[in-house]
Amino acid sequence: MSDNHGNTPAAWAAVAVAMLGFVVGGIGLMFNPVSMPIFWVGVALGVTSLVVFVVMARMGLNGPGH
């Protein structure tokens, strides 16, 4: 098991994109009336964070000696 749990460029990038998605989605929910298109953009960013992680991991940015 690796001792760098979560301390890789792939993990940091995925968390940053996911956090952006949660912020955008939350902002969409705070509008009056609720802006569902902005909310769904936030959801799409959250799903995109998984893609970012997988792509960066396959590029070799997720293991020891990245």
Side-chain angles (χ1 to χ4, degrees):
M1 181 173 255
S2 176
D3 63 348
N4 63 355
H5 180 74
N7 290 326
T8 63
W12 279 99
V15 168
V17 174
M19 182 65 71
L20 177 65
F22 276 98
V23 169
V24 169
I27 289 171
L29 291 175
M30 286 190 277
F31 284 122
N32 188 15
V34 171
S35 178
M36 291 307 286
I38 295 176
F39 170 75
W40 286 111
V41 167
V43 171
L45 283 170
V47 173
T48 302
S49 70
L50 298 172
V51 176
V52 167
F53 178 77
V54 169
V55 168
M56 290 183 74
R58 293 207 175 153
M59 289 173 56
L61 298 171
N62 191 38
H66 49 271

